[in-house]
Amino acid sequence: CGFNGEGHYCHKGVLTRCKWLYNDIKKRHTLKSLFSCSSPYRQFKLFITGHSLGAGCAQMLSVMLRPSFPSLKCFAIGPPGCVLDEELADICEEFITCIVQQDDIIPRLSPSNAESLRNQLFEVLARVKVSKINLFKDVRNPCHELSLAKRNSAVLHPKESVNRDTEYYTKLNEYINERAEKNRRSGPTLYIPGKIIHLIDISSDGSQYVPYWATRYSFDEIVLSDRLITDHKSGPVADILKSIRLDQVDELPPDCHLLELMHDGEDEEYEEVTEATFFTCFKSTRGRYTFALAVLVTVTLVLSFMVDHSCDFFSRDAVISINDVEYKYPHMEFGLFGHELKYCLDEDGCDMMHNSTVEDAGLCFPFPPAFHPDGYMVASRAFSLFGMIFGSISFAIVWASTCLNLGRRTW
């Protein structure tokens, strides 16, 4: 398929799909016709790009097409973390450039990273000194890095104090060693091929990014953060690339780079961070879904309240019986629990049948005990009552669920 891959390893699924792509391009003579001597596009350069799994396919397809198109370049945005073996990944640095945003999880997804995360999780579970439900409540609350050590000490035993002479650790070590041996037999570790530009958020709110050249070993662990999924979206990455100069990518390693940017000058002395409780309206990791629910609940509650206290919700022709004599009053304004009063403009010549002689008093008067509502009004009252109950309960739940324990430096 375009190059000699003998002795090299790659992701089987990506290779299978790229073989299909390569053979389809070859069968249709797509690139051959575009770059033929008679083609008006023969002076153009060939670029291959993709995002996520498409980025992995773009990398593999570039390796296949490179012998036929020596000037080919590939730009992979958020590629998978296990595409090619280390030797082939080094060769690809000449023509493949990868772009990774902050904590994007996809470039960090690999069997070795997943197993490392699993082992760390087992290790932490053995150190927990509180109930699992309390631990779950604790990890749901955001925590600033400056107070992380204090917070961990409240829920975890120190590493050195954990007794490792237990049946749990014996079985855990056996399982880890068994998996490690199986991984060694399955083949070499796969990496992200090519050069890698890591986009680092130095503002913590996504407003300012700085690029630097990273190594593939910078992504040898999965970063568990609240943005590991959102950082993988292609839209924000495209906006970031438009706002920075990629021809001025920093050569500093990540740690030194961040230290210079975030600690310019002498080291600061940080005061101990104490926790405070803040009430954050509609705060949720699911963003617009919670906001939509909040809007729906609020609108339902407001409308129900307005309907219950309105006297001009709908207009009806009324028949009032006084001493067995029925009087018709057209276009009376009604609410669910009261009606609007009218008064005569001319007491001597008042005719309730004609609106020209009467005017709204602007007063809402409750229905008398003898009033019998029709089916429509009964249904309206029931719906309004349901809206009030649903709105009140949902409103309370949405607000109460957003009362978070935040450190003063969280924002």
Side-chain angles (χ1 to χ4, degrees):
C1 284
F3 80 107
N4 183 11
E6 186 176 355
H8 294 293
Y9 293 83
C10 68
H11 191 287
K12 183 177 180 181
V14 174
L15 177 62
T16 302
R17 180 51 55 195
C18 286
K19 281 183 177 180
W20 183 90
L21 288 172
Y22 180 86
N23 292 330
D24 187 68
I25 292 172
K26 188 175 181 181
K27 177 182 177 182
R28 298 175 184 273
H29 305 288
T30 305
L31 295 179
K32 185 177 180 180
S33 59
L34 283 175
F35 292 95
S36 65
C37 295
S38 59
S39 173
Y41 310 107
R42 64 183 181 276
Q43 301 300 327
F44 283 56
K45 293 183 179 180
L46 178 59
F47 291 89
I48 300 179
T49 185
H51 171 255
S52 192
L53 185 57
C57 292
Q59 293 169 331
M60 185 71 69
L61 189 61
S62 298
V63 174
M64 295 178 174
L65 294 174
R66 175 74 173 176
S68 302
F69 300 90
S71 62
L72 175 150
K73 298 292 182 181
C74 173
F75 293 93
I77 300 175
C82 51
V83 179
L84 300 175
D85 63 45
E86 188 171 20
E87 182 181 353
L88 195 53
D90 287 333
I91 297 174
C92 293
E93 289 188 356
E94 184 180 349
F95 58 94
I96 294 180
T97 302
C98 303
I99 300 170
V100 178
Q101 180 184 352
Q102 187 76 5
D103 297 334
D104 187 352
I105 188 175
I106 300 302
R108 295 174 170 85
L109 280 183
S110 65
S112 58
N113 287 356
E115 299 222 355
S116 176
L117 178 63
R118 179 206 60 207
N119 295 341
Q120 293 176 30
L121 177 61
F122 286 147
E123 180 72 23
V124 170
L125 287 176
R127 296 170 52 197
V128 174
K129 60 182 180 182
V130 297
S131 65
K132 300 301 185 292
I133 185 63
N134 289 335
L135 179 66
F136 177 74
K137 292 178 180 178
D138 186 76
V139 298
R140 288 181 67 242
N141 295 328
C143 179
H144 195 275
E145 292 181 1
L146 298 177
S147 59
L148 187 60
K150 178 181 176 181
R151 180 172 172 177
N152 286 345
S153 64
V155 296
L156 299 177
H157 291 290
K159 287 184 179 180
E160 57 275 8
S161 67
V162 178
N163 181 16
R164 298 180 180 274
D165 239 358
T166 61
E167 182 181 0
Y168 173 82
Y169 269 106
T170 301
K171 291 185 177 181
L172 177 60
N173 289 329
E174 290 177 357
Y175 176 74
I176 293 175
N177 293 333
E178 179 184 343
R179 291 294 306 173
E181 180 62 29
K182 184 177 181 179
N183 292 336
R184 280 193 293 269
R185 294 196 303 266
S186 63
T189 303
L190 301 181
Y191 297 93
I192 305 173
K195 293 181 178 180
I196 305 173
I197 297 177
H198 195 185
L199 304 175
I200 290 295
D201 180 11
I202 61 173
S203 63
S204 299
D205 60 1
S207 61
Q208 186 179 3
Y209 283 82
V210 171
Y212 73 88
W213 290 113
T215 68
R216 61 184 64 97
Y217 309 110
S218 302
F219 307 96
D220 59 356
E221 66 175 359
I222 296 175
V223 178
L224 297 180
S225 75
D226 59 352
R227 52 188 297 177
L228 55 83
I229 300 298
T230 56
D231 280 346
H232 184 63
K233 296 181 178 179
S234 59
V237 176
D239 294 335
I240 295 170
L241 294 179
K242 293 176 183 177
S243 64
I244 62 177
R245 294 282 303 274
L246 288 180
D247 57 343
Q248 298 179 356
V249 181
D250 209 306
E251 295 288 350
L252 292 175
D255 293 339
C256 300
H257 179 73
L258 289 178
L259 285 174
E260 280 199 4
L261 289 171
M262 302 177 66
H263 303 284
D264 189 18
E266 298 181 359
D267 293 338
E268 300 181 22
E269 293 185 2
Y270 293 100
E271 59 178 333
E272 184 180 356
V273 177
T274 57
E275 291 191 348
T277 300
F278 289 85
F279 199 72
T280 310
C281 179
F282 305 140
K283 176 70 175 178
S284 173
T285 56
R286 294 189 176 274
R288 61 181 182 273
Y289 300 109
T290 303
F291 180 76
L293 174 61
V295 171
L296 175 63
V297 167
T298 305
V299 170
T300 302
L301 194 59
V302 171
L303 287 179
S304 297
F305 182 83
M306 291 176 61
V307 168
D308 287 348
H309 293 77
S310 172
C311 278
D312 56 357
F313 186 57
F314 48 82
S315 178
R316 291 287 181 86
D317 293 338
V319 177
I320 299 178
S321 179
I322 302 177
N323 297 326
D324 296 329
V325 179
E326 293 185 349
Y327 299 90
K328 293 185 178 180
Y329 295 94
H331 309 296
M332 290 288 290
E333 304 295 332
F334 289 90
L336 295 183
F337 299 97
H339 63 91
E340 194 171 71
L341 293 180
K342 295 180 181 290
Y343 68 91
C344 294
L345 297 175
D346 184 0
E347 295 183 1
D348 296 331
C350 183
D351 185 0
M352 296 296 291
M353 296 295 294
H354 298 86
N355 290 333
S356 60
T357 62
V358 295
E359 188 172 301
D360 293 335
L363 298 175
C364 191
F365 194 77
F367 290 123
F371 175 75
H372 299 289
D374 59 13
Y376 294 105
M377 186 171 287
V378 171
S380 299
R381 287 180 174 181
F383 186 79
S384 175
L385 178 62
F386 170 77
M388 289 287 287
I389 297 174
F390 169 78
S392 301
I393 295 176
S394 302
F395 196 79
I397 291 175
V398 171
W399 275 77
S401 64
T402 62
C403 190
L404 308 176
N405 289 322
L406 304 177
R408 286 186 300 169
R409 295 180 179 270
T410 298
W411 292 327

